[in-house]
Amino acid sequence: MRDLWNTLPALYGTSAFVIFLVTRIVLTLFTRVDNAPASTWPGIFLRGLWFDLATIGVLLMPFLIFAVITPERWRQTRFHVYLGRFVAWLLIAALLFGAIGEFFFWLEFSTRYNFIALDYLIYTQEVIGNIRESYPVNTLLVAIGSVAAIAVWALRGWLRSIETGPYSARTRLYLAVLLVLWPLAAFGLTNLDQMYGSGNNYADELSGNGLYSLAAAFRRNELDYDRFYATIPDDRAKAILQQLGVKRVGGAMDVLAEDRAARPLPDFLLRRPRHVVMITVESLSGEFVGALGGKPGWTPNIDRIAARGLLFERLFATGTRTVRGLEATTLGTPPIPGQAIVRRPNNGQLTTIGGILAHQGFASVFVYGGYSYFDNMAAYYSGNDYAVLDRTDFPAHTIPAENIWGVADEGLFANVDALLSKPGATEKPHFVQVMTTSNHRPYTYPDGRIDVPSPGGREGGVKYTDYAIGRFLDEAAQREWFKDTLFVIIADHCASVAGKVELPVAGYHVPMVFYGPEIVKPGRISGNISQIDVPPTLLDLLGQPGEGFFFGRSVRELQGAPRGVFVSNYQSLGYYKNDLLTVLKPGKVVESFAVDPDTFEMTPAGVDPQLRDEAIAYYQTASRQFKAGELVAPWYAGSN
């Protein structure tokens, strides 16, 4: 076996192992013992060894092949010597680059590379631009290259031993056996689910390997519900949903013929609005909003607006990405596993709120401060009867500052104001969904607006977006269309979902405010509400038909009744009701956690059979209906 040690694959594999181990040690120490107790460390490093060895087995495949087939006379050439050293430098530099990237990814998401990282790889312009604007990239690259060069110099003795010693037939046999057995073991004996089970989500994530998790996320890009998750008979699922008041499963839905305007007004409404402007705020966690007991002084304008409007104290986002928030607030469907519908094929001509209103004579518009091709937003919205405006449509004089993610939010709102203030524009009712970008790394914005200089980190991003919203509403109050407009301020998702459990309920708690001095009575609603309840609620307030197209229900129908809400990541599907979180996971696993209603602290609990079946009924039905094309709008169904 000594001969095997004196081979380039051994040196490359050892280098990878050391970098993986140091990465795990650094992340574990950074996470601190209050999040990952010392009692979890043996499991972290033992399971980590398992995943590191599996990853190395795959990484070494090309080097093992090259070592087995390369003739001995080639190995003695100067070119081969230099090539081996250059590959060692390149491999170490690449792995160091990945390790540093993982550290920054952990800072943002408290997970190893996962589905989010995979999504970001698709949008290289925004992601690379964001990295360049947020971090000293050139300095980091020089440092990585230098450290890799020092490492190769430190390994020079081992390299000389490899370069001068011949590969015996036995050595090549060993290498050939490793080439066959190691990757087979990596593919056949390991899977991502082996990361989980410690009872502490930080420990589970730390035990993984970033490259392995990234590859697993690629394989699990789309998860077929029926294959991976617990199911119940369709008839039972339909009966459960009907009992819960979900009209979506009620058979033929000629709901556009309903006269909704004749219904009594909800008790919190003064009169029906003519227009709706929904401001979807990037990463606005409930913990940032003073009106929800969050950071004092971070959101003075939203707090002021909340005091004058209707504040929803317990709204929960369905996911951890913008596309999940957009999916929920347009389609009113629980989050199906894998990609959000916004980013999937066959996602046009669906029964979105914008499409329903456009069919009823509204102008439905999506306005985004960035490039709307990002996350497939332009295709999704334009394919569902919205007009789409983004930064490429904004006149230069309306943009006070911009970064790779988008224009400063005040510039975004200036263009929304211009859209609605054009002569004759509001002769037609408008439904406008606005998506902000400033509360996002690199957190740059015009100077002199708030008390935190740019770039201002998370605090500056939140405060600046709050400033821009307050300024927009103050200026809109001078417009003729203001008195007839309902403004909805809602977050797309929280800034972070880090926690000791995989789906920490607190990490999905977001604000929502209905505001319109002549439309909405001031007040608070304290019951649990899901983002999927927003589309039917807005149709109810507008007096427009179509609520029956959604899995969510109007807030009017939810008041006084216990309500299940939905929280998810790309593979775990949560259903929060009666202070219990039921989680559906791949492998047909069902888990449950008791949730403190005030602190959102979570502890493992027994699975409630009724809540389990309710969760399955929602997620199973939504997944099957999308897959079968049953979410297509009826006015398009005949053309498909």
Side-chain angles (χ1 to χ4, degrees):
M1 296 297 289
R2 182 177 179 81
D3 290 344
L4 185 60
W5 184 248
N6 284 329
T7 63
L8 284 174
L11 182 144
Y12 296 159
T14 302
S15 301
F17 177 77
V18 170
I19 291 171
F20 292 156
L21 178 62
V22 171
T23 300
R24 184 171 293 105
I25 291 171
V26 170
L27 292 179
T28 301
L29 295 176
F30 178 81
T31 304
R32 305 188 309 277
V33 294
D34 53 336
N35 289 321
S39 60
T40 66
W41 290 10
I44 288 172
F45 287 95
L46 283 174
R47 286 188 292 162
L49 175 63
W50 178 255
F51 282 106
D52 289 349
L53 290 176
T55 305
I56 292 169
V58 176
L59 283 177
L60 288 183
M61 284 179 64
F63 305 117
L64 288 168
I65 293 172
F66 189 77
V68 169
I69 66 173
T70 303
E72 190 62 32
R73 64 179 183 278
W74 290 8
R75 288 190 60 255
Q76 304 301 323
T77 64
R78 190 175 297 274
F79 171 78
H80 188 275
V81 169
Y82 290 149
L83 177 64
R85 297 193 177 205
F86 173 75
V87 171
W89 174 84
L90 187 63
L91 178 66
I92 292 171
L95 291 172
L96 287 173
F97 181 85
I100 292 173
E102 266 208 274
F103 179 78
F104 289 125
F105 192 80
W106 187 272
L107 283 179
E108 190 79 13
F109 301 106
S110 297
T111 69
R112 293 290 197 160
Y113 286 141
N114 60 12
F115 197 66
I116 299 172
L118 187 66
D119 280 355
Y120 282 175
L121 288 175
I122 298 173
Y123 298 98
T124 52
Q125 177 178 337
E126 282 81 0
V127 174
I128 292 174
N130 182 34
I131 292 170
R132 292 182 65 87
E133 292 176 356
S134 302
Y135 305 107
V137 175
N138 292 336
T139 301
L140 285 173
L141 290 176
V142 171
I144 288 169
S146 300
V147 171
I150 292 170
V152 172
W153 178 83
L155 293 169
R156 65 191 184 282
W158 191 358
L159 282 165
R160 288 197 195 103
S161 177
I162 292 169
E163 292 156 1
T164 57
Y167 283 7
S168 66
R170 184 172 58 183
T171 298
R172 292 179 186 273
L173 177 61
Y174 287 153
L175 292 172
V177 170
L178 286 177
L179 174 61
V180 174
L181 296 184
W182 201 347
L184 282 178
F187 286 116
L189 300 179
T190 60
N191 65 75
L192 192 66
D193 296 330
Q194 294 167 351
M195 279 176 57
Y196 305 105
S198 73
N200 181 299
N201 194 58
Y202 288 107
D204 289 343
E205 290 292 341
L206 288 166
S207 71
N209 179 285
L211 293 180
Y212 186 96
S213 298
L214 188 66
F218 179 80
R219 293 198 304 272
R220 291 186 175 186
N221 195 339
E222 292 189 15
L223 291 171
D224 181 82
Y225 183 91
D226 290 299
R227 179 181 173 190
F228 290 101
Y229 295 88
T231 60
I232 58 178
D234 267 340
D235 289 347
R236 174 157 172 71
K238 180 178 178 180
I240 290 172
L241 295 181
Q242 287 178 323
Q243 187 176 16
L244 293 171
V246 178
K247 302 178 182 69
R248 172 82 225 172
V249 295
M253 293 182 295
D254 189 18
V255 296
L256 295 182
E258 297 179 77
D259 184 8
R260 308 296 291 180
R263 288 183 65 181
L265 291 177
D267 56 11
F268 54 79
L269 213 62
L270 296 168
R271 63 181 175 87
R272 296 197 185 279
R274 176 174 170 80
H275 315 289
V276 173
V277 175
M278 181 160 59
I279 302 169
T280 313
V281 185
E282 171 69 46
S283 302
L284 187 64
S285 301
E287 65 174 314
F288 301 152
V289 179
L292 293 176
K295 305 280 188 183
W298 280 32
T299 58
N301 290 288
I302 293 175
D303 297 343
R304 166 174 60 91
I305 293 159
R308 299 175 184 175
L310 182 66
L311 173 66
F312 294 81
E313 296 178 335
R314 293 174 67 89
L315 176 79
F316 294 90
T318 60
T320 61
R321 294 289 316 282
T322 295
V323 284
R324 280 298 187 199
L326 299 180
E327 171 189 75
T329 55
T330 56
L331 216 84
T333 184
I336 61 178
Q339 287 277 20
I341 289 174
V342 175
R343 295 201 54 209
R344 294 198 182 199
N346 305 314
N347 66 1
Q349 301 182 346
L350 305 179
T351 45
T352 61
I353 182 174
I356 292 169
L357 290 175
H359 193 69
Q360 299 296 316
F362 279 65
S364 294
V365 188
F366 175 67
V367 189
Y368 180 50
Y371 296 111
S372 58
Y373 66 77
F374 182 77
D375 267 340
N376 202 46
M377 288 184 279
Y380 174 76
Y381 278 96
S382 61
N384 286 289
D385 297 304
Y386 291 77
V388 176
L389 300 177
D390 69 6
R391 69 192 296 176
T392 64
D393 301 298
F394 300 166
H397 71 272
T398 67
I399 303 175
E402 58 187 320
N403 58 37
I404 191 64
W405 281 113
V407 306
D409 283 345
E410 65 189 87
L412 167 68
F413 289 123
N415 283 276
V416 176
D417 188 354
L419 168 71
L420 293 168
S421 300
K422 287 187 296 188
T426 52
E427 292 177 4
K428 188 175 188 178
H430 274 64
F431 174 73
V432 183
Q433 182 168 13
V434 186
M435 184 68 231
T436 73
T437 61
S438 291
N439 184 26
H440 193 295
R441 197 178 300 276
Y443 306 114
T444 59
Y445 41 82
D447 287 322
R449 288 358 185 221
I450 59 172
D451 60 357
V452 181
S454 173
R458 180 64 72 184
E459 180 181 0
V462 171
K463 285 186 171 182
Y464 174 70
T465 293
D466 174 78
Y467 158 83
I469 291 172
R471 171 174 163 169
F472 167 60
L473 291 177
D474 289 343
E475 292 180 352
Q478 312 304 314
R479 312 299 186 222
E480 180 63 27
W481 49 266
F482 177 81
K483 66 180 186 300
D484 296 319
T485 303
L486 171 68
F487 296 89
V488 179
I489 301 171
I490 182 173
D492 59 350
H493 57 83
C494 280
S496 172
V497 289
K500 296 179 182 179
V501 295
E502 189 175 7
L503 298 179
V505 170
Y508 295 83
H509 181 218
V510 295
M512 182 167 72
V513 179
F514 285 178
Y515 175 69
E518 297 185 33
I519 303 291
V520 180
K521 299 176 186 178
R524 287 175 174 245
I525 290 181
S526 58
N528 289 351
I529 305 294
S530 172
Q531 281 180 326
I532 77 168
D533 299 318
V534 173
T537 297
L538 295 181
L539 288 180
D540 187 13
L541 303 193
L542 286 165
Q544 296 293 328
E547 289 179 51
F549 288 123
F550 304 111
F551 285 87
R553 293 162 58 200
S554 171
V555 170
R556 180 212 298 265
E557 299 179 22
L558 300 173
Q559 288 179 280
R563 169 63 176 165
V565 299
F566 308 89
V567 298
S568 73
N569 56 29
Y570 72 96
Q571 64 173 343
S572 292
L573 311 174
Y575 181 68
Y576 175 40
K577 183 178 181 181
N578 297 342
D579 299 329
L580 283 173
L581 176 68
T582 303
V583 182
L584 310 179
K585 303 180 72 170
K588 302 188 183 296
V589 173
V590 182
E591 299 176 344
S592 184
F593 299 86
V595 182
D596 185 291
D598 298 317
T599 65
F600 297 126
E601 286 293 318
M602 298 171 59
T603 54
V607 173
D608 181 299
Q610 178 62 34
L611 296 180
R612 175 201 61 204
D613 287 357
E614 288 182 16
I616 293 172
Y618 272 109
Y619 285 113
Q620 170 182 298
T621 304
S623 297
R624 289 179 180 178
Q625 286 196 352
F626 175 72
K627 187 175 181 179
E630 294 175 16
L631 300 186
V632 171
W635 51 91
Y636 287 123
S639 63
N640 291 345

